[in-house]
Amino acid sequence: MLVEIGTEELPPTALKRLSEAFADQLSTQLTEQRIGHGNLERFAAPRRLAVIIQDVQVRQPDQETLRRGPALAAAFDAQGQPSKAALGFARSCGVEVDALDREQTDKGEWLCFRQQATGERTLTLLPALVEAALGRLPIPRRMRWGDGDAEFVRPVHWVCGLLGAEPVPGRVLGLDIGTGSRGHRFHHPDRVQIPRPEAYAEALRAASVEPSLELRRQAIREQVLQLAASVHGHADLPDDLLDEVAALCEWPTALLGRFDADFLQVPAEVLIETMQKNQKYFPVFDDTGALMPWFITIANIRSRDPDLVRAGNERVIRPRFADARFFWEQDRKTPLADRRDALGSVVFQHKLGSLLDKSRRVAGLSRHIAGLLDYDQDEAERAAELAKCDLVTAMVGEFASLQGTMGRYYAQHDGERPGVVAAMEEQYLPRHAGDRLPTSDAGRTLALADKLDTLVGIFAIGQRPTGVKDPYGLRRAAIGVLRILIETPLALDLKDLLWQAAFGYRGVVEAEDAVTQVFDYMMERLPGYYGDMGVAAEVVDAVLSLGPQVPSDIDRRILAVAAFRQLEAAEALSAANKRIRNILKKSGDGIAADIDTTVRPEGLQEEAERRLAQGVEQMRARLAPMHAAQDYEGMLRTLAGLREDVDQFFDQVMVMTDDAELRRNRLALLRSLEQLFLLTADISRLH
């Protein structure tokens, strides 16, 4: 089966997602209608979405429906005449009582009506299935065109549908379904007849359209790499740019262009941003990674005069580079430090003040964090004071994504210390999942302070993220702080840092109440963070249930518990801890109770409890140096040695005895054993 929807140019950044969703929804519709089918092949180009599905059943299978009526005892009277219930049931089924069947079940015999429904032809059902699939596509805003009621992401100009060699009768989105497609807008504007679905791809290729998004992407990649090699360079091929360019053309043709080498005096990041974001060009680099005065563009035509196309692209890029060079030269005339007052006119958040206010808060917090880490406090504070100054430069005004990057260049030009220079860009790290972390001292303190200030301030005014809305990037900020503290690692108390950030808002907003909210929000991110590493959520919960506040320490505990779970003794000890917890809870001596854990040796009667008590005392001595060294994995491995003693204790000793003193002594033993495990985590939470 072939279904193709021909449109005006589709949004390039959404093409791949739309193609996948169309195929998935079409498959779902067929399945819901009990139409069996095989593999799906997706096609997507700027002016079309298409799907070919193998082995489609040409008709729904017949279906028997069974309706159960009244019980036989209630369906007939003593003379065998049908009751009102039987007559009403027969009437609702459209038959006489004599036409009803009987069904024997465990609960008795019932009147029933069996009806055989003949399956409909797939051809008859297809228009409605296609409409339903299109209606479920992830399109935020649909448009109308002409005077019809049809809605889609772009106006639809043709619909092609075939089941084998048979045309699909009917209409979709207000258009009659046909058997033709259309070729390249310029090379082959005429209709392209499709005799059978398996001829679809080759028919379009003959009309200068490569219908496969993946094959176009691959062709672009190969052509770009080949042209870059022709000038002894290599091309940068970011996935998102490659996807977008592949979605912009039907018949890609790569062309090599050149620009004036004098523009290379401008920072490479600026030129690359202009080429990739504005022009969709692929920059070319030499073997050292330096930008070369070449670019590669992808045309959507095979020009009879490619030099003319090349010259046009070179002419377009020249004024953009000239503007960038002007911004670069003008910005450097004013030092970053002299721009700080201008931040006062830029609003950070109307309830939280300007960027200058934020800069002052972050400077104080950076100095505090640097002191905790024994870093250079003056350098950390200086970095924070200059951090946002590049936001009021002409270059960042034009290229917002270069904030931080341009700050680094301008700070270096101003003669700032190397640590301050590095911090200008590192303040935004990590920018996304898997991104690198700041490596300089000032960069780490600034990245932490900036993110913590934003988190506390935005939570304090009641704008925490909800659903998919996160305008201030708080999820990214929370994960960024956790990653810096965990992966660097830095032994800092997160809640203390949040309190310090809240103090910076005194006189602005009441931020103290936000501290616990932000801390809890950040802890809620940890199961997902460790889940990406294959660590189960229950392992994270076993650690967080104890209320630790130092993320680097939390990390050691979580990894230790994850390793402990692999031990043979883990399941038994976890079950034993659950049992201990339940016993203490029933006795009124819960986990948080401040009870006497002193075990009186003379009160130990059974050999099993004496052996466990001795093991606990020996463990306490062995664990002390491990705990001081935060060797949590070593602690849990050592505690695993108690498994046999714990098993024998529960097999041979009655804890809740009627003897009050004996019961108290045994409870104290269990509590002291529990406390040894709680030095690392609450393993009773492991399943």
Side-chain angles (χ1 to χ4, degrees):
M1 183 180 80
L2 165 67
V3 176
E4 183 194 51
I5 309 298
T7 69
E8 292 185 11
E9 276 72 8
L10 294 162
T13 55
L15 184 63
K16 183 177 180 181
R17 185 174 72 252
L18 288 172
S19 174
E20 292 170 349
F22 183 41
D24 291 344
Q25 289 297 334
L26 201 51
S27 174
T28 299
Q29 291 297 320
L30 290 171
T31 301
E32 289 178 357
Q33 292 296 323
R34 299 177 290 110
I35 299 173
H37 62 276
N39 295 330
L40 288 80
E41 187 176 4
R42 300 189 303 268
F43 298 93
R47 298 195 297 151
R48 71 200 73 226
L49 294 173
V51 180
I52 291 179
I53 307 179
Q54 306 292 333
D55 304 321
V56 180
Q57 287 183 334
V58 296
R59 181 184 292 277
Q60 286 178 318
D62 295 343
Q63 187 177 30
E64 182 182 79
T65 58
L66 174 68
R67 287 183 60 192
R68 182 183 292 175
L72 204 62
F76 299 95
D77 59 21
Q79 288 73 39
Q81 296 300 310
S83 67
K84 290 184 178 180
L87 291 169
F89 176 65
R91 191 163 48 250
S92 70
C93 296
V95 297
E96 299 295 328
V97 173
D98 293 344
L100 297 176
D101 291 329
R102 301 184 182 189
E103 182 187 26
Q104 183 69 45
T105 71
D106 295 339
K107 296 182 179 180
E109 196 171 5
W110 308 75
L111 281 182
C112 67
F113 177 65
R114 287 186 172 86
Q115 186 175 31
Q116 194 76 12
T118 303
E120 291 195 55
R121 295 180 69 210
T122 301
L123 277 172
T124 304
L125 296 171
L126 276 179
L129 300 188
V130 174
E131 285 263 17
L134 293 173
R136 295 183 182 180
L137 296 190
I139 302 171
R141 183 173 298 177
R142 295 171 183 260
M143 63 167 59
R144 291 185 182 181
W145 58 93
D147 56 0
D149 295 328
E151 294 183 346
F152 197 53
V153 62
R154 292 290 185 269
V156 176
H157 290 292
W158 77 89
V159 179
C160 175
L162 289 165
L163 183 62
E166 289 190 73
V168 177
R171 293 169 65 83
V172 167
L173 294 179
L175 295 174
D176 290 331
I177 303 173
T179 59
S181 181
R182 299 191 187 171
H184 192 283
R185 188 182 289 277
F186 303 112
H187 292 313
H188 195 292
D190 299 331
R191 294 183 63 82
V192 178
Q193 197 63 27
I194 311 295
R196 295 183 63 86
E198 50 266 48
Y200 173 74
E202 287 308 317
L204 285 182
R205 286 166 189 147
S208 299
V209 173
E210 172 49 69
S212 168
L213 179 62
E214 187 54 41
L215 290 180
R216 287 200 311 280
R217 190 182 192 276
Q218 183 179 333
I220 291 169
R221 180 182 180 83
E222 291 172 355
Q223 291 181 48
V224 168
L225 291 175
Q226 185 177 1
L227 283 180
S230 71
V231 291
H232 309 291
H234 65 273
D236 182 26
L237 292 156
D239 287 339
D240 56 348
L241 178 59
L242 203 51
D243 288 340
E244 186 175 1
V245 173
L248 282 167
C249 58
E250 294 180 317
W251 198 253
T253 303
L255 295 170
L256 182 68
R258 185 179 179 88
F259 60 85
D260 191 337
D262 287 346
F263 286 123
L264 294 176
Q265 297 172 14
V266 179
E269 292 90 341
V270 177
L271 304 181
I272 293 168
E273 180 79 0
T274 300
M275 286 188 275
Q276 292 183 340
K277 292 295 192 297
N278 298 119
Q279 300 302 124
K280 314 305 175 188
Y281 294 166
F282 295 94
V284 179
F285 302 86
D286 64 20
D287 291 338
T288 68
L291 186 64
M292 299 176 70
W294 299 97
F295 65 85
I296 298 169
T297 184
I298 305 299
N300 192 29
I301 58 172
R302 297 186 308 272
S303 175
R304 291 188 296 270
D305 190 356
D307 288 339
L308 191 63
V309 179
R310 181 182 299 107
N313 281 274
E314 292 174 344
R315 187 167 58 252
V316 167
I317 200 68
R318 192 176 301 115
R320 289 190 176 275
F321 281 179
D323 286 346
R325 181 165 59 187
F326 175 77
F327 296 148
W328 169 242
E329 293 171 349
Q330 291 300 308
D331 283 344
R332 288 184 298 166
K333 293 178 180 179
T334 304
L336 279 180
D338 291 351
R339 297 179 182 275
R340 192 162 184 245
D341 289 344
L343 296 175
S345 61
V346 182
V347 175
F348 164 56
Q349 205 285 335
H350 70 279
K351 292 183 180 180
L352 303 178
S354 66
L355 280 180
L356 181 58
D357 298 323
K358 179 177 177 63
S359 175
R360 289 168 177 158
R361 290 193 304 269
V362 173
L365 185 53
S366 293
R367 188 173 188 88
H368 173 76
I369 295 173
L372 295 175
L373 296 170
D374 201 24
Y375 290 169
D376 187 320
Q377 291 180 283
D378 291 337
E379 184 175 85
E381 186 174 23
R382 177 67 172 176
E385 290 173 346
L386 301 179
K388 304 303 179 186
C389 292
D390 67 341
L391 296 180
V392 291
T393 63
M395 187 73 84
V396 174
E398 180 71 18
F399 303 103
S401 62
L402 293 179
Q403 58 186 293
T405 300
M406 296 316 301
R408 170 170 58 84
Y409 278 109
Y410 295 144
Q412 187 176 37
H413 176 265
D414 296 344
E416 297 290 344
R417 296 166 61 178
V420 173
V421 171
M424 295 299 95
E425 189 163 25
E426 290 184 337
Q427 64 179 303
Y428 297 103
L429 299 180
R431 295 177 186 265
H432 51 78
D435 194 17
R436 62 190 179 93
L437 300 181
T439 56
S440 69
D441 292 350
R444 289 180 187 134
T445 57
L446 179 55
L448 288 171
D450 186 37
K451 293 172 177 61
L452 290 168
D453 176 83
T454 299
L455 283 161
V456 171
I458 300 302
F459 267 76
I461 59 173
Q463 293 193 22
R464 64 175 293 160
T466 56
V468 297
K469 293 185 178 180
D470 186 15
Y472 293 95
L474 300 188
R475 293 186 186 91
R476 185 172 65 249
I479 288 293
V481 170
L482 290 170
R483 283 193 59 201
I484 293 170
L485 295 176
I486 289 170
E487 297 174 26
T488 303
L490 300 175
L492 296 174
D493 187 309
L494 178 57
K495 188 163 275 191
D496 283 351
L497 294 180
L498 292 170
W499 275 114
Q500 194 65 32
F503 294 154
Y505 280 100
R506 284 174 295 186
V508 180
V509 292
E510 293 294 331
E512 287 77 7
D513 292 343
V515 169
T516 300
Q517 296 177 39
V518 176
F519 182 82
D520 292 344
Y521 176 79
M522 295 179 74
M523 292 300 102
E524 290 167 5
R525 313 271 76 75
L526 286 177
Y529 171 75
Y530 285 101
D532 291 340
M533 305 178 193
V535 177
E538 66 194 52
V539 172
V540 180
D541 178 58
V543 173
L544 296 186
S545 65
L546 302 185
Q549 298 181 179
V550 180
S552 60
D553 182 65
I554 292 172
D555 179 63
R556 292 189 186 93
R557 293 171 184 261
I558 288 173
L559 298 182
V561 176
F564 169 75
R565 287 187 81 202
Q566 308 304 314
L567 300 180
E568 185 179 346
E571 185 175 352
L573 287 171
S574 175
N577 271 265
K578 285 188 181 73
R579 190 169 180 181
I580 292 171
R581 176 65 48 77
N582 291 334
I583 291 172
L584 293 176
K585 189 180 295 183
K586 289 177 182 177
S587 70
D589 298 325
I591 182 174
D594 184 18
I595 65 173
D596 182 13
T597 57
T598 303
V599 179
R600 294 188 304 104
E602 65 275 13
L604 300 172
Q605 294 185 356
E606 305 289 343
E607 175 61 24
E609 62 182 327
R610 285 195 291 269
R611 189 160 50 248
L612 180 59
Q614 183 180 8
V616 168
E617 285 304 308
Q618 291 174 348
M619 282 293 177
R620 186 176 287 114
R622 292 177 63 187
L623 295 179
M626 294 183 187
H627 188 255
Q630 296 182 321
D631 180 11
Y632 300 114
E633 184 173 349
M635 291 171 66
L636 289 175
R637 286 186 180 276
T638 302
L639 283 167
L642 286 174
R643 175 188 174 178
E644 186 175 344
D645 290 344
V646 172
D647 288 346
Q648 290 185 4
F649 176 85
F650 282 119
D651 286 343
Q652 301 174 22
V653 178
M654 170 65 72
V655 177
M656 303 304 289
T657 177
D658 293 335
D659 186 326
E661 184 56 31
L662 186 57
R663 183 173 67 250
R664 190 215 65 78
N665 206 42
R666 289 172 177 172
L667 287 171
L669 175 57
L670 291 181
R671 179 68 167 128
S672 62
L673 172 61
E674 181 187 49
Q675 286 184 328
L676 292 182
F677 281 96
L678 291 176
L679 290 172
T680 299
D682 180 6
I683 67 166
S684 70
R685 292 176 176 261
L686 301 180
H687 302 314

